[in-house]
């Protein structure tokens, strides 16, 4: 399968600082990438859809000024958690859609996730 | 709005047993359906993708079927192994709604 790399895998930061998480599709171009948040023993919660060259589409209840998403190229999307607080501590996962010429978003491939701990 | 459910929520089986995981969706207007596994503290690994025009897909000991008209997909795991222990999620790619995930089935295969 295709490879999506997510970095860093773990990050610990102080309250009030900003943290950037990168998501790269290594062997295909991804017009669309997605960012999720996952709480322990729960399913994925979609935060936003990131489209290359345009503004991200945020899900209801997700603060766009808090979670900045940039998709500057077809292989890279970044999520920046600004002024992080302890309640932002979570597991963040990205995915990239690989299209195959058929209809639909495509086949999803996921990064390994980033564990954020805000002290 | 599309809703995806998975039954059972958790399953524990002895090694070697064949098993079936179920995924149901309410809106049959989908492009495709994808099965994933997630190990604790990790991202999701894609297992199988079934396009809406297909009935099933196979990869090794895994076989996934799709019945779009009834809104169902099953993931069949043959000769289960302890290494198959993980959470299995299905996701549907919808018309105009992107992917919607099920809550997952937590599988434990006991040695």
């Amino acid at each position: 399968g295709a490879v999506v790399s997510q970095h860093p895998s773990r990050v610990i930061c102080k309250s009030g600082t900003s943290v950037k998480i990168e998501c790269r599709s290594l062997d295909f171009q991804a017009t669309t990438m997605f960012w999720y948040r996952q709480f322990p023993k729960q399913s994925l919660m979609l935060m936003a859809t990131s489209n290359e060259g345009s503004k991200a589409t945020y899900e209801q209840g997700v603060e766009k000024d808090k979670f900045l998403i940039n998709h500057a190229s077809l292989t890279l999307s970044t999520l920046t958690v600004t002024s992080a607080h302890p309640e932002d501590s979570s597991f963040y996962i990205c995915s990239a859609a690989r299209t195959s010429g058929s209809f639909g978003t495509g086949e999803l491939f996921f990064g390994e996730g980033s564990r954020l701990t805000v002290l | 709005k599309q809703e995806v459910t998975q039954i059972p929520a958790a399953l524990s089986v002895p090694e070697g047993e064949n098993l079936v995981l179920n995924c149901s969706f309410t809106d049959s207007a989908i492009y495709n359906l994808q099965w994933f596994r997630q190990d604790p503290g990790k991202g999701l690994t894609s297992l199988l993708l079934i396009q809406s025009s297909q009935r099933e897909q196979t990869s090794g000991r895994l076989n996934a079927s799709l019945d779009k008209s009834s809104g169902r997909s099953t993931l069949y795991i043959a000769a289960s192994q302890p290494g198959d222990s993980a959470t299995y999620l299905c996701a549907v790619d919808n018309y105009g709604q992107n992917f919607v995930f099920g809550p997952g089935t937590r599988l434990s295969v006991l040695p």
Side-chain angles (χ1 to χ4, degrees):
Chain A
V3 179
V4 174
S5 172
Q6 190 172 339
H7 178 81
S9 58
R10 289 181 181 273
V11 57
I12 301 173
C13 69
K14 291 183 180 180
S15 187
T17 61
S18 295
V19 173
K20 180 186 283 189
I21 302 170
E22 293 188 347
C23 180
R24 294 180 185 271
S25 56
L26 298 185
D27 51 1
F28 67 98
Q29 293 184 328
T31 305
T32 306
M33 290 185 174
F34 302 91
W35 287 96
Y36 305 84
R37 186 171 178 175
Q38 188 175 36
F39 293 100
K41 298 192 177 180
Q42 293 188 24
S43 191
L44 303 173
M45 184 188 81
L46 179 65
M47 298 175 66
T49 301
S50 169
N51 294 297
E52 186 266 337
S54 63
K55 291 183 178 180
T57 303
Y58 290 82
E59 295 299 301
Q60 194 170 12
V62 178
E63 301 175 57
K64 61 180 69 175
D65 295 329
K66 173 79 172 172
F67 299 99
L68 299 179
I69 291 172
N70 183 277
H71 193 158
S73 77
L74 287 171
T75 59
L76 173 65
S77 177
T78 60
L79 167 67
T80 301
V81 183
T82 62
S83 187
H85 290 284
E87 57 266 30
D88 299 324
S89 298
S90 190
F91 191 58
Y92 294 88
I93 314 177
C94 72
S95 70
R98 183 178 71 178
T99 56
S100 61
S102 58
F103 296 108
T105 308
E107 186 172 4
L108 282 186
F109 295 94
F110 282 78
E112 281 293 294
S114 300
R115 171 82 52 198
L116 170 63
T117 303
V118 185
L119 303 175
Chain B
K1 185 181 176 184
Q2 179 75 269
E3 291 183 6
V4 181
T5 55
Q6 290 186 245
I7 294 173
L11 181 63
S12 184
V13 299
E15 182 177 5
E17 197 162 293
N18 301 326
L19 56 99
V20 175
L21 308 180
N22 298 287
C23 172
S24 297
F25 48 96
T26 55
D27 186 350
S28 62
I30 65 171
Y31 292 115
N32 56 50
L33 184 145
Q34 199 167 349
W35 281 94
F36 301 88
R37 71 173 277 170
Q38 185 178 28
D39 295 285
K42 300 287 187 182
L44 279 66
T45 300
S46 178
L47 298 174
L48 290 164
L49 171 75
I50 311 177
Q51 295 181 352
S52 62
S53 59
Q54 299 173 324
R55 298 286 289 185
E56 66 177 335
Q57 283 286 335
T58 299
S59 175
R61 293 182 293 109
L62 305 179
N63 176 277
S65 67
L66 175 64
D67 184 343
K68 233 177 68 164
S69 60
S70 67
R72 292 181 185 174
S73 176
T74 60
L75 179 66
Y76 175 82
I77 302 177
S80 58
Q81 302 170 357
D84 294 331
S85 298
T87 296
Y88 290 80
L89 297 99
C90 66
V92 294
D93 184 9
N94 300 276
Y95 294 174
Q97 203 180 326
N98 287 326
F99 281 84
V100 178
F101 283 81
T105 293
R106 196 163 57 253
L107 172 66
S108 295
V109 181
L110 307 174

